[in-house]
Amino acid sequence: MQRPTTKLFLQQTGFPLAEMSMPLLQPTVAPKNSSATKGIYLEMRKLIHDLKLPLTLVNGELEAIEDGVRAWTPETTRTLLSELEQIKSMLEAISPEQQATPATDTPTEISSLLMEHLQQLSVKTTLNITQHVSPGLSSSMPSWAFKRILHHLSSNSVQYTYHPGCLHVSLTQQQQQVLLLWQDSAPAPAASELAQLGNEERQTPQHETVMAAGTGLTQVTTLVNQVNGNISFQHNGLGGLTVAINFPLMSTYGG
């Protein structure tokens, strides 16, 4: 099988790394206005940090293939395409046109977004996923914020759940609120550490796994606060962690 050059590969797949990397090269100036806007700025900084490593790895893989150090196989192609698709999704989730304001008058149909996310997660991971998602639920939360919340929750479960792992997700209406329950299997933080999850001021972890997991949950907590929601952490019957998130409901008619 003849291996294409890196340039040709990127042209064929439609994922030019130079264009994808442009947001990382632009100077980012901290805003001086509302706390919500500053929160978006901090989330963008976190996203840029998250993107640097996968972009570097993908670029390194392509250069190794072009130099003949690594073999070019159909599996290599599938792996690279999967990684690039994930990077592209991360960029699209927080594009400027999707984050002009922390909330809009246009409802975000979160039920379908969640189902789409769980379907992709089931393909990309070994997690045994079950769900109970009420159809047609919408929120004033912007779609980019909801996608980022799901991204951080998924990353936390994938990285800090014993293989192969279980995940149960439910999305239901509770009066004028939406309740998202994200429940993964063991391990779980100690009871004394639950109150510290999502706390930006934590400096010294009692054990490394929980602190590493907590960094992603800190981003979730920040986003939930930005959309006037509430978040809590509990143990569950799977031996893992339950993240419970409440946020305002918005009908598809703007109510």
Side-chain angles (χ1 to χ4, degrees), residues 2-15 62 66 72:
Q2 184 179 6
R3 57 181 179 84
T5 64
T6 300
K7 181 178 180 181
L8 179 59
F9 173 80
L10 294 174
Q11 289 175 343
Q12 291 173 341
T13 58
F15 292 107
L62 290 171
E66 188 170 8
W72 184 276

Side-chain angles (χ1 to χ4, degrees), residues 104-109 138-141 250-254:
T104 67
D105 293 332
T106 302
T108 298
E109 214 286 305
S138 297
S139 172
S140 57
M141 180 191 308
M250 176 183 278
S251 74
T252 55
Y253 301 102

Side-chain angles (χ1 to χ4, degrees), residues 98-212:
Q98 295 194 54
Q99 45 158 311
T101 60
T104 67
D105 293 332
T106 302
T108 298
E109 214 286 305
I110 55 177
S111 295
S112 59
L113 288 179
L114 177 58
M115 290 298 296
E116 179 181 355
H117 179 84
L118 293 178
Q119 182 179 13
Q120 294 175 355
L121 188 63
S122 67
V123 173
K124 297 178 180 179
T125 71
T126 62
L127 289 171
N128 179 17
I129 302 175
T130 57
Q131 73 272 330
H132 173 67
V133 179
S134 298
L137 295 181
S138 297
S139 172
S140 57
M141 180 191 308
S143 61
W144 73 264
F146 189 61
K147 290 178 180 178
R148 287 297 287 166
I149 287 173
L150 296 179
H151 167 74
H152 287 305
L153 290 173
S154 299
S155 297
N156 189 72
S157 293
V158 169
Q159 192 166 3
Y160 303 106
T161 298
Y162 293 147
H163 181 84
C166 298
L167 175 66
H168 180 70
V169 180
S170 66
L171 185 72
T172 56
Q173 180 176 348
Q174 305 284 324
Q175 296 183 347
Q176 293 304 309
Q177 296 279 312
V178 175
L179 173 62
L180 172 65
L181 291 178
W182 191 277
Q183 306 177 78
D184 57 25
S185 54
S192 60
E193 295 175 316
L194 285 177
Q196 298 298 319
L197 293 177
N199 186 353
E200 295 181 0
E201 297 180 357
R202 281 201 305 165
Q203 299 294 331
T204 306
Q206 290 188 0
H207 65 80
E208 187 174 323
T209 298
V210 173
M211 183 57 183

Side-chain angles (χ1 to χ4, degrees), residues 18 41 52 79-80 134 179 232 238 241 249 254:
Y41 163 77
K52 284 183 178 180
T79 300
L80 287 171
S134 298
L179 173 62
S232 62
L238 299 173
L241 179 69
L249 175 73

